[in-house]
Amino acid sequence: DYKKTLFQSLLEAKAIHKGPTKILEDITRVPLNYAQLLTRCFVLGPTINRITDYQETVGLLLPNMVATVVTFFALQAYGRVPALLNYSAGLAQIELACQMAKIRCILTSRKFVELANLFILIVRLGEKGLQIVYLEDIKAEIRWQDKLRAGLLSRFPNYYYYKKLKKASNPSDPAVVLFTSGSEGEPKGVVLSHENIQANLAQMTTQIDFNQKDIFFSALPLFHAFGLTACIILPIYHG
């Protein structure tokens, strides 16, 4: 059944493989399990609700790290559409991508901006009127009440999702915006629905024989179609 939303499948994966199962790890080598992933989604969620609108396209300017995956699924949990920006594309193409996808808010990281030397890009995007939100700032504003609420929601995520959001969510709605490389001219924005991605995932499972003992290593950035689907979403859904 591919007619389901991405967050719905995440909830199903947690129910099947159980909350303590480790599912993600990045260069920091600190693993994250299903329960922690959901808790962090609900910690980030109230900020997402405050600064963006339902089904708004939100830019993600982040590298391959656990926080990026958390942010991606937090946007899914609250009915937003992540647009994964290619930070290696250059200033002009990123500006064009933001215009094309009607992005008005970009989530990024101060540490990443510093390490990738993206200061000029960030200043330019700010001058264009885009709201730049740093994950470090969101983290600094989190209170113990927010953590408590997130912990409760992560214990009963189905109640939140199916009561609050599921009625408004449709598998045919946009789930993510990816961009072509622009090698043949201006980059194109590709809008993928939940059904599109779910169908791709189902096709992959017919071609690759894997099980819960396997480990996926992602050598592709998340703004790449395979980097997102084959290397991140697929293994998360299958334990």
Side-chain angles (χ1 to χ4, degrees), residues 177-228:
V177 178
L178 299 176
F179 297 94
T180 61
S181 63
S183 56
E184 298 177 356
E186 295 179 349
K188 300 172 183 65
V190 182
V191 182
L192 297 173
S193 69
H194 297 270
E195 287 180 341
N196 292 152
I197 295 174
Q198 299 279 20
N200 281 165
L201 298 175
Q203 291 163 346
M204 291 176 200
T205 61
T206 69
Q207 300 300 315
I208 307 170
D209 185 19
F210 61 89
N211 58 48
Q212 293 177 36
K213 294 181 180 179
D214 290 317
I215 296 174
F216 277 63
F217 173 75
S218 176
L220 290 166
L222 294 187
F223 56 73
H224 188 285
F226 276 7
L228 178 65

Side-chain angles (χ1 to χ4, degrees), residues 3 5 37 57 61 65 104-105 113 120 125 135 199 204 208 214 235 239:
K3 293 183 181 296
T5 65
L37 174 56
T57 303
L61 192 70
M65 59 184 189
R104 67 177 183 87
C105 176
V113 170
I120 296 175
L125 292 175
L135 295 182
M204 291 176 200
I208 307 170
D214 290 317

